[in-house]
Amino acid sequence: MKHFIILMFALIPFISGCEKDNDINAQVREIAWNSLSEHDKATVIIDWQKSPVTETIFQDKSVYAVSFNTSDDPLLGPIIVYIEKSSLIIIGQAPRL
């Protein structure tokens, strides 16, 4: 029983850290979604709230990249919005072909 209690206390930071990651990802997705034009939003084929959020480098800055799959992906590729990690300001979009 003592080992179980120690294990539970050891896992608390990881569990709360995952929740924080989910909160920031949801916020980043919403910022990216709100930056899209109505035309772009109409072409998105997945639930925007489930769009993948990754961390990468764009213009020498640490950013979140939010990818929206669209009906135009075979021709143009997905819409990718880059959001600066420290300020959560949109700094650009990936070029589409």
Side-chain angles (χ1 to χ4, degrees):
M1 183 68 173
K2 181 180 176 182
H3 295 295
F4 177 74
I5 293 171
I6 293 171
L7 178 63
M8 291 304 296
F9 280 115
L11 290 177
I12 288 174
F14 295 108
I15 294 168
S16 63
C18 292
E19 186 176 314
K20 184 178 179 182
D21 286 346
N22 289 336
D23 290 345
I24 192 69
N25 286 349
Q27 184 179 8
V28 167
R29 280 187 199 99
E30 186 171 0
I31 291 167
W33 176 254
N34 290 334
S35 76
L36 300 182
S37 69
E38 290 303 316
H39 176 270
D40 285 343
K41 288 179 180 179
T43 65
V44 173
I45 57 174
I46 61 170
D47 180 4
W48 68 269
Q49 295 173 333
K50 295 180 181 175
S51 297
V53 177
T54 58
E55 295 181 24
T56 189
I57 302 295
F58 179 74
Q59 297 178 347
D60 296 325
K61 296 180 182 178
S62 182
V63 299
Y64 294 109
V66 183
S67 300
F68 298 102
N69 293 101
T70 72
S71 56
D72 297 330
D73 281 5
L75 181 62
L76 303 174
I79 298 171
I80 302 173
V81 180
Y82 296 108
I83 300 172
E84 188 175 32
K85 286 178 67 175
S86 60
S87 65
L88 296 183
I89 293 175
I90 297 167
I91 60 169
Q93 283 191 6
R96 295 178 82 192
L97 304 174

